[in-house]
Amino acid sequence: MTDIASISKLLAIAEKAIEVRDREAARKEARENLNAAYERWKDNHGIEHVETDSAAWNMMMDATEIEYALFANAQTAEKNAKRRLATAIRRYRND
């Protein structure tokens, strides 16, 4: 592999690693926002603990649907960024 090609592939790895870090931070923030939405809902309804698959659980899930969707999207983006990083590393090692 030529030096320029090697440097180019290493740069791609670095860019993908930065993307992974950014997506991981976004996922963590989305998780914190989701947890905060759960806590707000429980506080607003005077409930300390919500049992899974209860009527209150279903109400809380409905009320936090947007926050959950943002979290799920952030999880997917992080997973895809990690996959792209792994691919960039594999391309570098295979040459």
Side-chain angles (χ1 to χ4, degrees):
M1 175 175 2
T2 66
D3 286 340
I4 293 173
S6 179
I7 291 169
S8 176
K9 289 181 180 182
L10 287 171
L11 182 57
I13 290 170
E15 290 171 345
K16 303 298 185 230
I18 291 168
E19 181 186 7
V20 167
R21 185 205 59 201
D22 292 347
R23 297 296 170 248
E24 183 179 70
R27 189 236 337 129
K28 287 178 181 179
E29 181 180 359
R31 172 49 102 177
E32 290 170 2
N33 291 340
L34 177 59
N35 288 341
Y38 290 156
E39 290 304 316
R40 272 193 311 275
W41 186 90
K42 289 189 288 187
D43 288 347
N44 290 342
H45 291 84
I47 300 172
E48 188 172 319
H49 176 74
V50 178
E51 291 293 328
T52 306
D53 295 327
S54 65
W57 174 268
N58 293 334
M59 290 170 47
M60 185 173 72
M61 293 300 105
D62 288 344
T64 58
E65 184 177 355
I66 292 171
E67 291 86 351
Y68 182 82
L70 292 171
F71 173 65
N73 289 341
Q75 280 185 307
T76 299
E78 180 186 14
K79 180 185 79 175
N80 289 338
K82 287 179 177 179
R83 181 186 44 77
R84 287 189 291 274
L85 174 59
T87 298
I89 292 169
R90 194 171 44 256
R91 284 182 181 150
Y92 175 75
R93 288 186 174 166
N94 288 338
D95 285 345

Coordinates of all heavy atoms in Angstrom, one line a residue:
M1 N 0.9 -1.2 0.0 CA 0.0 0.0 0.0 C 0.9 1.2 0.0 O 1.9 1.3 0.7 CB -0.9 0.0 1.2 CG -1.7 1.2 1.4 SD -3.0 1.2 2.8 CE -2.8 -0.3 3.6
T2 N 0.5 2.2 -0.8 CA 1.3 3.4 -0.9 C 1.1 4.2 0.4 O 0.1 4.1 1.1 CB 0.9 4.3 -2.1 OG1 -0.4 4.7 -1.9 CG2 1.1 3.5 -3.4
D3 N 2.0 5.1 0.6 CA 1.9 6.0 1.8 C 0.7 6.8 1.8 O 0.0 7.0 2.8 CB 3.2 6.9 1.9 CG 4.4 6.1 2.4 OD1 4.2 5.0 3.0 OD2 5.5 6.5 2.2
I4 N 0.4 7.4 0.6 CA -0.8 8.2 0.4 C -2.1 7.4 0.7 O -3.0 7.9 1.4 CB -0.9 8.9 -0.9 CG1 0.3 9.9 -1.1 CG2 -2.2 9.6 -1.2 CD1 0.5 10.5 -2.4
A5 N -2.2 6.2 0.2 CA -3.3 5.4 0.4 C -3.5 5.0 1.8 O -4.6 5.0 2.4 CB -3.3 4.1 -0.5
S6 N -2.3 4.7 2.5 CA -2.3 4.3 3.9 C -2.8 5.5 4.7 O -3.6 5.4 5.6 CB -0.9 3.9 4.3 OG -0.9 3.6 5.7
I7 N -2.3 6.7 4.4 CA -2.7 7.9 5.2 C -4.1 8.2 5.0 O -4.9 8.5 5.9 CB -1.8 9.1 4.8 CG1 -0.4 8.8 5.3 CG2 -2.3 10.4 5.3 CD1 0.7 9.8 4.7
S8 N -4.6 8.0 3.8 CA -6.0 8.3 3.5 C -6.9 7.3 4.3 O -7.9 7.7 4.8 CB -6.3 8.1 2.0 OG -7.6 8.2 1.7
K9 N -6.5 6.1 4.4 CA -7.3 5.1 5.1 C -7.3 5.3 6.6 O -8.3 5.2 7.3 CB -6.9 3.7 4.8 CG -7.3 3.3 3.4 CD -6.9 1.9 3.0 CE -7.4 1.6 1.6 NZ -7.1 0.3 1.1
L10 N -6.1 5.8 7.1 CA -6.0 6.1 8.5 C -6.8 7.3 8.8 O -7.5 7.4 9.9 CB -4.5 6.3 8.9 CG -3.7 5.1 9.0 CD1 -2.2 5.4 9.1 CD2 -4.1 4.2 10.1
L11 N -6.9 8.3 7.9 CA -7.7 9.5 8.1 C -9.2 9.1 8.1 O -9.9 9.6 9.0 CB -7.5 10.5 7.0 CG -8.2 11.8 7.1 CD1 -7.9 12.5 8.4 CD2 -7.9 12.7 5.9
A12 N -9.6 8.1 7.3 CA -11.0 7.7 7.3 C -11.3 7.0 8.6 O -12.4 7.2 9.2 CB -11.2 6.7 6.2
I13 N -10.3 6.3 9.2 CA -10.6 5.6 10.5 C -10.7 6.7 11.6 O -11.6 6.6 12.4 CB -9.4 4.7 10.8 CG1 -9.4 3.4 9.9 CG2 -9.4 4.3 12.3 CD1 -8.2 2.6 10.0
A14 N -9.9 7.7 11.5 CA -10.0 8.8 12.5 C -11.3 9.5 12.4 O -12.0 9.8 13.5 CB -8.8 9.8 12.3
E15 N -11.8 9.8 11.2 CA -13.1 10.4 11.0 C -14.2 9.6 11.5 O -15.1 10.1 12.2 CB -13.3 10.8 9.5 CG -12.4 11.9 9.0 CD -12.4 12.0 7.5 OE1 -13.0 11.1 6.8 OE2 -11.9 13.1 7.0
K16 N -14.1 8.3 11.3 CA -15.2 7.4 11.8 C -15.2 7.3 13.3 O -16.2 7.2 13.9 CB -15.0 6.0 11.2 CG -15.0 5.9 9.7 CD -16.3 6.4 9.0 CE -16.3 6.2 7.5 NZ -16.6 7.3 6.8
A17 N -14.0 7.3 13.9 CA -13.9 7.2 15.3 C -14.5 8.5 16.0 O -15.2 8.4 17.0 CB -12.4 7.1 15.8
I18 N -14.3 9.6 15.4 CA -14.9 10.9 15.9 C -16.4 10.8 15.7 O -17.1 11.2 16.7 CB -14.3 12.1 15.1 CG1 -12.9 12.3 15.5 CG2 -15.2 13.3 15.4 CD1 -12.1 13.3 14.6
E19 N -16.9 10.2 14.6 CA -18.3 10.0 14.4 C -18.9 9.1 15.5 O -19.9 9.4 16.1 CB -18.6 9.5 13.1 CG -20.1 9.3 12.8 CD -20.4 8.6 11.5 OE1 -19.5 8.2 10.8 OE2 -21.6 8.6 11.2
V20 N -18.2 8.0 15.8 CA -18.6 7.1 16.9 C -18.8 7.9 18.2 O -19.8 7.7 18.9 CB -17.7 5.9 17.0 CG1 -18.0 5.1 18.3 CG2 -17.9 5.0 15.8
R21 N -17.7 8.6 18.5 CA -17.8 9.4 19.8 C -19.0 10.3 19.8 O -19.7 10.4 20.8 CB -16.5 10.2 20.0 CG -16.4 10.9 21.3 CD -15.5 12.1 21.3 NE -16.0 13.0 20.3 CZ -15.2 14.0 19.8 NH1 -14.0 14.1 20.1 NH2 -15.7 14.8 18.9
D22 N -19.2 11.0 18.7 CA -20.3 12.0 18.7 C -21.7 11.3 18.8 O -22.6 11.7 19.5 CB -20.3 12.8 17.4 CG -19.1 13.7 17.3 OD1 -18.5 14.0 18.3 OD2 -18.8 14.2 16.2
R23 N -21.8 10.1 18.1 CA -23.1 9.4 18.2 C -23.3 8.7 19.5 O -24.4 8.6 20.0 CB -23.1 8.3 17.1 CG -23.0 8.8 15.7 CD -24.2 9.6 15.3 NE -24.0 10.3 14.0 CZ -23.9 11.6 13.9 NH1 -23.9 12.4 14.9 NH2 -23.7 12.1 12.7
E24 N -22.2 8.3 20.2 CA -22.3 7.8 21.5 C -22.8 8.9 22.5 O -23.6 8.6 23.3 CB -21.0 7.2 22.0 CG -21.0 6.6 23.3 CD -19.6 6.0 23.7 OE1 -18.7 6.8 24.0 OE2 -19.5 4.8 23.8
A25 N -22.2 10.0 22.4 CA -22.6 11.2 23.2 C -24.1 11.5 23.0 O -24.9 11.8 23.9 CB -21.7 12.4 23.0
A26 N -24.5 11.5 21.7 CA -25.9 11.8 21.4 C -26.9 10.7 21.9 O -27.9 11.1 22.5 CB -26.1 11.9 19.9
R27 N -26.4 9.5 21.9 CA -27.2 8.4 22.5 C -27.4 8.5 24.0 O -28.4 8.4 24.6 CB -26.6 7.0 22.1 CG -27.6 5.9 22.5 CD -27.0 4.8 23.4 NE -25.6 4.7 23.5 CZ -24.9 4.7 24.7 NH1 -25.5 4.8 25.8 NH2 -23.6 4.5 24.7
K28 N -26.3 8.9 24.6 CA -26.3 9.1 26.1 C -27.2 10.3 26.5 O -28.0 10.2 27.4 CB -24.9 9.3 26.6 CG -24.0 8.1 26.7 CD -22.6 8.4 27.2 CE -21.8 7.1 27.2 NZ -20.4 7.4 27.6
E29 N -27.1 11.3 25.7 CA -28.0 12.5 25.9 C -29.5 12.1 25.7 O -30.3 12.5 26.5 CB -27.6 13.6 25.0 CG -28.5 14.9 25.3 CD -28.1 16.0 24.4 OE1 -27.1 15.9 23.6 OE2 -28.7 17.1 24.5
A30 N -29.7 11.4 24.7 CA -31.1 10.9 24.4 C -31.6 10.0 25.5 O -32.8 10.1 25.9 CB -31.2 10.2 23.0
R31 N -30.8 9.2 26.0 CA -31.2 8.3 27.2 C -31.5 9.2 28.4 O -32.5 8.9 29.1 CB -30.1 7.3 27.5 CG -30.3 6.5 28.7 CD -31.7 5.9 28.8 NE -31.7 4.5 28.5 CZ -32.8 3.7 28.5 NH1 -33.9 4.2 28.9 NH2 -32.7 2.5 28.2
E32 N -30.7 10.1 28.7 CA -30.9 11.0 29.8 C -32.2 11.8 29.6 O -33.0 11.9 30.6 CB -29.7 12.0 30.0 CG -28.5 11.4 30.5 CD -27.3 12.3 30.4 OE1 -27.4 13.5 30.0 OE2 -26.1 11.8 30.7
N33 N -32.5 12.2 28.4 CA -33.7 13.0 28.1 C -34.9 12.0 28.3 O -36.0 12.5 28.8 CB -33.7 13.6 26.7 CG -32.7 14.7 26.6 OD1 -32.3 15.3 27.6 ND2 -32.3 15.0 25.4
L34 N -34.8 10.8 27.9 CA -35.9 9.8 28.1 C -36.1 9.5 29.5 O -37.3 9.6 30.0 CB -35.5 8.5 27.3 CG -36.5 7.4 27.4 CD1 -37.9 7.8 26.9 CD2 -36.0 6.2 26.7
N35 N -35.1 9.3 30.3 CA -35.2 9.1 31.7 C -35.8 10.3 32.4 O -36.7 10.1 33.3 CB -33.9 8.7 32.4 CG -33.4 7.3 32.0 OD1 -34.2 6.5 31.5 ND2 -32.1 7.1 32.1
A36 N -35.4 11.5 32.0 CA -36.0 12.7 32.6 C -37.5 12.8 32.3 O -38.3 13.2 33.1 CB -35.3 13.9 32.1
A37 N -37.9 12.4 31.1 CA -39.3 12.4 30.7 C -40.1 11.4 31.5 O -41.2 11.7 31.9 CB -39.4 12.1 29.2
Y38 N -39.5 10.3 31.7 CA -40.2 9.3 32.6 C -40.4 9.9 34.0 O -41.5 9.7 34.6 CB -39.3 8.0 32.7 CG -39.3 7.1 31.5 CD1 -38.2 6.3 31.3 CD2 -40.2 7.2 30.5 CE1 -38.1 5.4 30.2 CE2 -40.1 6.3 29.4 CZ -39.1 5.5 29.3 OH -39.0 4.7 28.2
E39 N -39.3 10.5 34.6 CA -39.4 11.0 35.9 C -40.4 12.2 36.0 O -41.2 12.3 36.9 CB -38.0 11.5 36.4 CG -37.1 10.4 36.7 CD -37.6 9.4 37.7 OE1 -38.1 9.8 38.7 OE2 -37.4 8.2 37.4
R40 N -40.5 13.0 35.0 CA -41.4 14.1 34.9 C -42.9 13.6 34.9 O -43.7 14.1 35.6 CB -41.2 15.0 33.7 CG -40.3 16.1 33.8 CD -40.3 17.1 32.7 NE -40.3 16.5 31.4 CZ -39.2 16.2 30.7 NH1 -38.0 16.4 31.3 NH2 -39.2 15.6 29.5
W41 N -43.1 12.5 34.1 CA -44.4 11.9 34.0 C -44.8 11.4 35.4 O -45.9 11.6 35.8 CB -44.4 10.9 32.9 CG -45.8 10.3 32.7 CD1 -46.8 10.8 31.9 CD2 -46.5 9.3 33.5 NE1 -47.9 10.1 32.0 CE2 -47.8 9.2 33.0 CE3 -46.1 8.4 34.5 CZ2 -48.7 8.2 33.4 CZ3 -47.0 7.5 34.9 CH2 -48.3 7.4 34.4
K42 N -43.9 10.6 36.0 CA -44.2 10.1 37.3 C -44.5 11.2 38.4 O -45.4 11.1 39.1 CB -43.1 9.1 37.8 CG -43.0 7.9 37.0 CD -42.0 6.8 37.5 CE -40.6 7.2 37.3 NZ -39.6 6.2 37.7
D43 N -43.6 12.2 38.3 CA -43.9 13.3 39.3 C -45.2 14.0 39.0 O -45.9 14.3 40.0 CB -42.7 14.4 39.1 CG -41.4 13.9 39.7 OD1 -41.4 12.9 40.4 OD2 -40.4 14.5 39.4
N44 N -45.5 14.2 37.8 CA -46.8 14.9 37.5 C -48.0 14.0 37.9 O -49.1 14.6 38.1 CB -46.9 15.2 36.0 CG -45.9 16.3 35.6 OD1 -45.5 17.1 36.4 ND2 -45.6 16.4 34.3
H45 N -47.8 12.7 37.9 CA -48.9 11.8 38.3 C -48.8 11.3 39.7 O -49.6 10.4 40.1 CB -49.0 10.7 37.3 CG -49.5 11.1 35.9 ND1 -48.6 11.7 35.0 CD2 -50.7 11.2 35.4 CE1 -49.3 12.0 33.9 NE2 -50.5 11.7 34.1
G46 N -47.9 11.8 40.5 CA -47.7 11.4 41.9 C -47.4 9.9 42.0 O -47.8 9.3 43.0
I47 N -46.7 9.3 41.1 CA -46.3 7.9 41.1 C -44.8 7.8 41.3 O -44.0 8.4 40.6 CB -46.7 7.2 39.8 CG1 -48.2 7.3 39.6 CG2 -46.3 5.8 39.8 CD1 -48.7 6.9 38.2
E48 N -44.4 7.0 42.3 CA -43.0 6.8 42.6 C -42.4 5.7 41.7 O -41.3 5.8 41.2 CB -42.8 6.4 44.0 CG -41.3 6.4 44.4 CD -41.2 6.2 45.9 OE1 -41.9 6.8 46.7 OE2 -40.3 5.4 46.3
H49 N -43.1 4.6 41.5 CA -42.7 3.5 40.7 C -43.8 3.0 39.7 O -44.9 2.9 40.2 CB -42.2 2.3 41.6 CG -41.7 1.1 40.8 ND1 -40.6 1.1 40.1 CD2 -42.4 -0.1 40.6 CE1 -40.5 -0.1 39.5 NE2 -41.5 -0.8 39.8
V50 N -43.4 2.7 38.5 CA -44.4 2.2 37.5 C -44.0 0.8 37.2 O -42.9 0.5 36.8 CB -44.4 3.1 36.3 CG1 -45.4 2.5 35.2 CG2 -44.7 4.5 36.6
E51 N -45.0 -0.1 37.4 CA -44.8 -1.5 37.1 C -44.9 -1.7 35.6 O -45.8 -1.2 34.9 CB -45.9 -2.4 37.8 CG -45.7 -2.5 39.2 CD -44.5 -3.2 39.7 OE1 -44.0 -4.2 39.0 OE2 -44.0 -2.9 40.8
T52 N -44.0 -2.5 35.0 CA -44.0 -2.8 33.6 C -45.3 -3.5 33.3 O -45.9 -4.3 34.0 CB -42.8 -3.8 33.3 OG1 -41.6 -3.2 33.7 CG2 -42.7 -4.1 31.8
D53 N -45.8 -3.2 32.1 CA -47.1 -3.7 31.5 C -48.3 -3.4 32.3 O -49.3 -4.1 32.3 CB -47.0 -5.2 31.3 CG -45.9 -5.6 30.3 OD1 -45.8 -4.8 29.3 OD2 -45.2 -6.6 30.4
S54 N -48.3 -2.4 33.1 CA -49.5 -1.9 33.9 C -50.1 -0.8 33.0 O -49.6 -0.3 32.1 CB -49.1 -1.4 35.2 OG -48.3 -0.2 35.1
A55 N -51.3 -0.4 33.5 CA -52.0 0.7 32.8 C -51.2 2.0 32.9 O -51.1 2.7 31.9 CB -53.4 0.9 33.4
A56 N -50.6 2.2 34.1 CA -49.7 3.4 34.2 C -48.5 3.3 33.3 O -48.1 4.3 32.7 CB -49.3 3.5 35.7
W57 N -48.0 2.1 33.1 CA -46.8 2.0 32.2 C -47.2 2.4 30.8 O -46.5 3.1 30.1 CB -46.4 0.5 32.3 CG -45.3 0.2 31.3 CD1 -45.5 -0.3 30.0 CD2 -43.9 0.3 31.5 NE1 -44.2 -0.5 29.4 CE2 -43.3 -0.1 30.3 CE3 -43.1 0.7 32.5 CZ2 -41.9 -0.1 30.1 CZ3 -41.7 0.7 32.4 CH2 -41.1 0.3 31.2
N58 N -48.4 1.9 30.4 CA -48.8 2.2 29.0 C -49.1 3.7 28.8 O -48.7 4.2 27.8 CB -50.1 1.4 28.7 CG -49.8 -0.1 28.6 OD1 -48.7 -0.5 28.3 ND2 -50.8 -0.9 28.9
M59 N -49.6 4.3 29.9 CA -49.8 5.8 29.8 C -48.5 6.5 29.7 O -48.4 7.4 28.9 CB -50.6 6.2 31.0 CG -52.1 5.8 31.0 SD -53.0 6.1 32.6 CE -52.5 7.7 32.9
M60 N -47.5 6.1 30.5 CA -46.2 6.7 30.5 C -45.5 6.5 29.2 O -44.9 7.4 28.7 CB -45.3 6.2 31.7 CG -44.0 6.9 31.8 SD -43.1 6.4 33.2 CE -42.5 4.7 32.8
M61 N -45.6 5.3 28.6 CA -45.0 5.0 27.3 C -45.7 5.9 26.2 O -45.0 6.5 25.4 CB -45.2 3.6 26.9 CG -44.4 2.6 27.8 SD -42.6 2.9 27.8 CE -42.4 3.7 29.4
D62 N -47.0 6.1 26.3 CA -47.6 6.9 25.3 C -47.2 8.4 25.5 O -47.0 9.1 24.5 CB -49.2 6.9 25.5 CG -49.7 5.6 25.0 OD1 -49.1 4.8 24.3 OD2 -50.9 5.3 25.4
A63 N -47.0 8.8 26.7 CA -46.7 10.2 27.0 C -45.2 10.5 26.6 O -44.9 11.7 26.3 CB -46.9 10.6 28.4
T64 N -44.4 9.5 26.6 CA -42.9 9.7 26.3 C -42.5 9.1 24.9 O -41.4 8.8 24.7 CB -42.1 9.1 27.4 OG1 -42.4 7.7 27.5 CG2 -42.3 9.8 28.7
E65 N -43.5 8.9 24.1 CA -43.3 8.3 22.8 C -42.2 9.0 21.9 O -41.3 8.4 21.3 CB -44.6 8.2 22.0 CG -44.5 7.5 20.7 CD -45.9 7.4 20.0 OE1 -46.9 7.8 20.6 OE2 -45.9 7.0 18.9
I66 N -42.3 10.3 21.9 CA -41.3 11.1 21.2 C -39.9 11.0 21.7 O -38.9 10.7 20.9 CB -41.7 12.6 21.1 CG1 -43.0 12.8 20.3 CG2 -40.6 13.5 20.6 CD1 -43.6 14.2 20.4
E67 N -39.7 11.1 23.0 CA -38.4 10.9 23.6 C -37.9 9.5 23.4 O -36.7 9.3 23.1 CB -38.5 11.2 25.1 CG -38.7 12.6 25.5 CD -40.2 13.0 25.6 OE1 -41.0 12.2 25.1 OE2 -40.4 14.1 26.0
Y68 N -38.7 8.5 23.4 CA -38.3 7.1 23.1 C -37.8 7.0 21.7 O -36.8 6.4 21.4 CB -39.4 6.1 23.4 CG -38.9 4.7 23.2 CD1 -38.1 4.0 24.2 CD2 -39.1 4.1 22.0 CE1 -37.6 2.8 23.9 CE2 -38.6 2.8 21.7 CZ -37.9 2.2 22.7 OH -37.4 0.9 22.5
A69 N -38.6 7.6 20.8 CA -38.2 7.5 19.3 C -36.9 8.2 19.1 O -36.0 7.6 18.3 CB -39.3 8.2 18.5
L70 N -36.6 9.3 19.8 CA -35.3 10.0 19.6 C -34.2 9.1 20.2 O -33.1 9.0 19.6 CB -35.4 11.3 20.3 CG -36.3 12.4 19.7 CD1 -36.4 13.6 20.6 CD2 -35.8 12.8 18.3
F71 N -34.5 8.4 21.3 CA -33.5 7.5 21.9 C -33.2 6.4 20.9 O -32.0 6.0 20.7 CB -33.9 7.0 23.2 CG -33.0 6.0 23.8 CD1 -31.7 6.2 24.1 CD2 -33.5 4.7 24.0 CE1 -30.9 5.2 24.7 CE2 -32.7 3.7 24.5 CZ -31.4 4.0 24.8
A72 N -34.2 5.8 20.4 CA -34.1 4.6 19.5 C -33.3 5.0 18.2 O -32.4 4.3 17.8 CB -35.5 4.0 19.1
N73 N -33.6 6.2 17.7 CA -32.9 6.7 16.5 C -31.4 6.9 16.9 O -30.5 6.6 16.0 CB -33.5 8.0 16.0 CG -34.8 7.7 15.3 OD1 -35.2 6.6 14.9 ND2 -35.6 8.8 15.2
A74 N -31.1 7.4 18.0 CA -29.8 7.7 18.5 C -29.0 6.4 18.6 O -27.8 6.2 18.3 CB -29.7 8.5 19.8
Q75 N -29.7 5.3 19.1 CA -29.1 4.0 19.3 C -28.7 3.5 17.9 O -27.6 2.9 17.7 CB -30.0 3.0 19.9 CG -30.1 3.1 21.4 CD -31.0 2.0 22.0 OE1 -32.1 1.9 21.5 NE2 -30.5 1.3 22.9
T76 N -29.6 3.6 16.9 CA -29.4 3.1 15.6 C -28.2 3.9 14.9 O -27.3 3.3 14.3 CB -30.6 3.3 14.7 OG1 -31.7 2.5 15.3 CG2 -30.4 2.8 13.3
A77 N -28.2 5.2 15.1 CA -27.1 6.0 14.5 C -25.7 5.6 15.1 O -24.7 5.5 14.4 CB -27.4 7.5 14.8
E78 N -25.7 5.3 16.4 CA -24.5 4.9 17.1 C -24.0 3.5 16.5 O -22.9 3.3 16.2 CB -24.6 4.8 18.6 CG -23.4 4.4 19.3 CD -23.5 4.1 20.8 OE1 -24.7 4.1 21.2 OE2 -22.5 4.0 21.5
K79 N -25.0 2.6 16.4 CA -24.6 1.3 15.9 C -24.1 1.4 14.5 O -23.1 0.7 14.1 CB -25.9 0.4 15.9 CG -25.7 -1.0 15.4 CD -26.9 -1.8 15.3 CE -27.7 -1.4 14.1 NZ -28.9 -2.1 13.8
N80 N -24.7 2.2 13.6 CA -24.2 2.3 12.3 C -22.9 3.0 12.2 O -22.0 2.6 11.4 CB -25.3 3.1 11.4 CG -26.5 2.4 11.2 OD1 -26.5 1.1 11.2 ND2 -27.6 3.1 10.9
A81 N -22.6 3.9 13.1 CA -21.3 4.6 13.1 C -20.2 3.6 13.5 O -19.1 3.6 12.9 CB -21.3 5.8 14.1
K82 N -20.5 2.7 14.5 CA -19.6 1.7 14.9 C -19.3 0.7 13.7 O -18.2 0.2 13.5 CB -20.1 0.9 16.1 CG -20.0 1.8 17.4 CD -20.5 1.0 18.6 CE -20.4 1.8 19.8 NZ -20.9 1.1 21.0
R83 N -20.4 0.4 13.0 CA -20.2 -0.5 11.9 C -19.3 0.1 10.8 O -18.4 -0.5 10.2 CB -21.6 -0.9 11.3 CG -21.5 -1.8 10.1 CD -22.9 -2.0 9.4 NE -23.7 -0.8 9.2 CZ -23.5 0.1 8.3 NH1 -22.5 0.0 7.4 NH2 -24.2 1.2 8.2
R84 N -19.5 1.4 10.5 CA -18.7 2.1 9.6 C -17.2 2.2 10.0 O -16.3 2.0 9.2 CB -19.2 3.5 9.3 CG -20.5 3.5 8.4 CD -20.9 4.9 8.0 NE -21.3 5.7 9.1 CZ -22.6 5.8 9.5 NH1 -23.5 5.0 9.0 NH2 -22.9 6.6 10.5
L85 N -17.0 2.4 11.3 CA -15.6 2.4 11.8 C -15.0 1.0 11.7 O -13.8 0.9 11.2 CB -15.6 2.8 13.3 CG -14.3 2.7 14.0 CD1 -13.2 3.6 13.4 CD2 -14.4 3.0 15.5
A86 N -15.7 -0.1 12.0 CA -15.2 -1.4 11.8 C -14.8 -1.7 10.4 O -13.8 -2.3 10.1 CB -16.2 -2.4 12.4
T87 N -15.6 -1.2 9.5 CA -15.4 -1.4 8.0 C -14.1 -0.7 7.6 O -13.3 -1.2 6.9 CB -16.6 -0.9 7.2 OG1 -17.7 -1.7 7.5 CG2 -16.3 -1.1 5.7
A88 N -13.9 0.6 8.1 CA -12.8 1.3 7.8 C -11.5 0.7 8.3 O -10.5 0.6 7.6 CB -12.9 2.8 8.3
I89 N -11.6 0.1 9.5 CA -10.4 -0.6 10.1 C -10.1 -1.8 9.3 O -9.0 -2.1 8.9 CB -10.7 -0.9 11.5 CG1 -10.7 0.4 12.4 CG2 -9.6 -1.9 12.1 CD1 -11.2 0.2 13.8
R90 N -11.1 -2.6 8.9 CA -11.0 -3.8 8.1 C -10.3 -3.5 6.8 O -9.4 -4.2 6.3 CB -12.3 -4.5 7.9 CG -12.2 -5.9 7.4 CD -13.6 -6.7 7.5 NE -14.7 -5.9 7.0 CZ -15.6 -5.4 7.8 NH1 -15.5 -5.5 9.1 NH2 -16.7 -4.7 7.3
R91 N -10.8 -2.4 6.1 CA -10.2 -2.0 4.8 C -8.7 -1.7 5.0 O -7.9 -2.0 4.1 CB -10.9 -0.8 4.2 CG -12.2 -1.2 3.7 CD -12.9 0.0 3.1 NE -14.2 -0.4 2.5 CZ -15.3 0.4 2.5 NH1 -15.2 1.7 2.9 NH2 -16.4 0.0 2.0
Y92 N -8.3 -1.0 6.1 CA -7.0 -0.6 6.3 C -6.1 -1.9 6.5 O -5.0 -2.0 6.0 CB -6.9 0.3 7.5 CG -5.4 0.6 7.9 CD1 -4.7 1.5 7.1 CD2 -4.8 0.0 9.0 CE1 -3.4 1.8 7.5 CE2 -3.5 0.3 9.3 CZ -2.8 1.2 8.6 OH -1.5 1.5 8.9
R93 N -6.6 -2.8 7.3 CA -5.8 -4.0 7.6 C -5.7 -5.0 6.5 O -4.8 -5.8 6.4 CB -6.5 -4.8 8.8 CG -6.3 -4.0 10.1 CD -6.8 -4.9 11.3 NE -6.5 -4.2 12.5 CZ -7.0 -4.5 13.7 NH1 -7.9 -5.5 13.7 NH2 -6.7 -3.9 14.8
N94 N -6.7 -5.0 5.6 CA -6.7 -5.9 4.4 C -5.8 -5.5 3.3 O -5.6 -6.2 2.3 CB -8.1 -6.2 3.9 CG -8.9 -7.0 4.9 OD1 -8.3 -7.7 5.7 ND2 -10.2 -6.9 4.9
D95 N -5.3 -4.3 3.3 CA -4.4 -3.8 2.2 C -3.0 -3.9 2.6 O -2.5 -4.1 3.6 CB -4.8 -2.4 1.9 CG -6.1 -2.3 1.1 OD1 -6.5 -3.3 0.6 OD2 -6.6 -1.2 1.0

